[in-house]
Amino acid sequence: MKFDVLDMNGKKVSDIELSDAVFGLEPNEKVMHAAVVNFLANQRQGTQSTKTRSEVSGGGRKPWRQKGTGRARQGSTRSPQWTHGGVALGPKPRDYSYRLNKKVRRLALCSALSSKAQAGEMVVVDKIEAAEYKTKAVAAMLKALGAEKKALIVTAAADEKLVKSAANIPGVRTASAGSINTYTVLCGGKFIVSVDAAKKLEEVFAK
């Protein structure tokens, strides 16, 4: 696919041809959905926990004798039906994470990148950099590129000045080309990528 290359002021400086294998696929929605569900599952801490009847303190004595009272038989005041009793079938700490096949992860990310390109939400910039720690410079760039509301800025390598300059802008995230995934691309809003980062993505995934 062919893209316009803009500078940080939003002016066109050249064109670039990027691989259809990465930016020109027919997006596979099922695979993208599977990748997003996988990402969210892997973020879960799984630390929720409840106490069973054997873990609640007290309840050692039988509350009343088995027969002759007219009441239902009870063995412990810590059974689930009692106030202050244990929880039946409640959650326990567990690991929710699982892995997706490498080919599926690759297809999902390429589908996400292609969907951004086809929707006109991908902007290629010749060079993205911050000369100093200044939020104003990044905000001005986003305004020039028409991405003031929500954007994902992707560079070839992590740029500390850019990361910290963009950190105070609501809805704006930064990432390096090697750290993005399907979820961050789809939920990041406008996809702003430097030429170097685009070529790096092409190099890794256009196989």
Side-chain angles (χ1 to χ4, degrees):
M1 289 188 73
K2 201 171 186 179
F3 296 89
D4 292 338
V5 177
L6 310 179
D7 61 14
M8 291 180 65
N9 296 316
K11 295 179 180 178
K12 181 179 176 180
V13 292
S14 62
D15 295 318
I16 188 172
E17 189 84 31
L18 295 175
S19 173
D20 286 346
V22 181
F23 298 98
L25 286 177
E26 179 66 34
N28 189 319
E29 292 186 7
K30 286 187 178 180
V31 170
M32 287 192 290
H33 177 264
V36 170
V37 170
N38 172 247
F39 176 82
L40 294 175
N42 291 348
Q43 303 309 301
R44 296 184 68 173
Q45 291 184 322
T47 55
Q48 72 276 39
S49 182
T50 54
K51 290 184 177 181
T52 63
R53 58 181 290 174
S54 64
E55 295 169 323
V56 180
S57 62
R61 182 175 66 86
K62 188 175 175 66
W64 51 76
R65 67 179 192 265
Q66 181 82 347
K67 292 178 176 293
T69 64
R71 288 180 288 186
R73 54 195 176 192
Q74 301 291 330
S76 170
T77 56
R78 296 298 178 261
S79 295
Q81 72 270 24
W82 285 73
T83 302
H84 307 302
V87 176
L89 307 176
K92 283 291 184 184
R94 56 168 287 195
D95 181 11
Y96 287 92
S97 66
Y98 64 95
R99 287 181 62 82
L100 282 180
N101 184 294
K102 185 177 179 180
K103 288 184 178 180
V104 172
R105 296 198 307 270
R106 182 188 293 264
L107 177 59
L109 181 55
C110 291
S111 292
L113 294 171
S114 297
S115 68
K116 286 292 179 182
Q118 292 169 21
E121 294 184 350
M122 178 173 163
V123 180
V124 182
V125 182
D126 60 345
K127 198 171 186 181
I128 302 175
E129 58 183 0
E132 54 185 334
Y133 294 97
K134 209 166 187 69
T135 300
K136 191 175 182 180
V138 178
M141 179 191 75
L142 293 172
K143 185 176 182 180
L145 298 176
E148 295 175 272
K149 294 184 178 179
K150 194 175 184 182
L152 174 65
I153 303 172
V154 181
T155 52
D159 183 341
E160 186 182 357
K161 288 183 180 178
L162 178 67
V163 170
K164 291 191 174 181
S165 297
N168 290 332
I169 307 175
V172 176
R173 298 179 66 181
T174 56
S176 62
S179 66
I180 63 171
N181 57 57
T182 305
Y183 179 84
T184 56
V185 172
L186 290 175
C187 299
K190 205 99 170 183
F191 185 72
I192 301 172
V193 60
S194 68
V195 170
D196 289 343
K199 287 182 177 177
K200 194 170 183 179
L201 289 169
E202 189 178 49
E203 181 184 341
V204 173
F205 295 106
K207 295 181 180 177

